[in-house]
Amino acid sequence: MEFRINTRSPFYAQYESLPAEVESTNRARFSEDLTSWNKVNASVTANQVTAPDGNLTADKLERNSTSASYAQTNASRSSTSIDNYSASIFVKRGNTRYVSVRVDASYSNRNDFQYDFETGVITRFVSSGSGSINSRAVENSFADGWVRLCFNVGVGNIG
């Protein structure tokens, strides 16, 4: 399984959970350090703005090409069958209108989401292959422009 964040221009991201959340298994590799993620036509600058938890740990993600640009990381899976996963990411607008997030397994089992910073809603959401979207939500009760995008998805079979 992999998580991927697509970018059109700079925005800020924070994957780390808030202290008040119930502990669960975090399967995403380097979830708080986007500099360790694989990057395609994009760059990440660590610890650029204050995160929702009040610490200077949010990373800046920006494109450096007009081609498709994104950062991605792999996550462990509990099996090779169809699994349901919950994922969330905190995002804060830089100078882009949209941010896209993908949660997938092997091609073409994927779930794509696009969040519109201007309208405050997930404007596009598409599943393909054996991917499925069980639920999606936007939480915008955080200080300083932060929003949390939440997803529960089925990611399909590996291979």
Side-chain angles (χ1 to χ4, degrees), residues 1-64:
M1 182 176 71
E2 95 183 356
F3 296 103
R4 181 159 83 175
I5 308 169
N6 298 317
T7 181
R8 294 193 177 134
S9 54
F11 69 96
Y12 302 94
Q14 176 75 8
Y15 258 108
E16 189 174 39
S17 297
L18 292 174
E21 292 180 322
V22 175
E23 186 175 340
S24 61
T25 302
N26 181 351
R27 296 186 182 276
R29 294 179 58 223
F30 310 112
S31 63
E32 202 283 314
D33 180 12
L34 299 181
T35 62
S36 297
W37 289 30
N38 298 322
K39 292 165 282 298
V40 174
N41 298 319
S43 62
V44 174
T45 309
N47 306 328
Q48 290 297 291
V49 296
T50 302
D53 65 3
N55 294 309
L56 185 64
T57 55
D59 297 343
K60 180 180 182 180
L61 176 62
E62 64 186 316
R63 75 183 315 165
N64 54 27

Side-chain angles (χ1 to χ4, degrees), residues 102-116:
R102 172 176 288 173
V103 182
D104 70 3
S106 59
Y107 184 83
S108 68
N109 304 321
R110 66 179 190 251
N111 302 285
D112 292 310
F113 304 90
Q114 179 174 280
Y115 175 73
D116 184 333

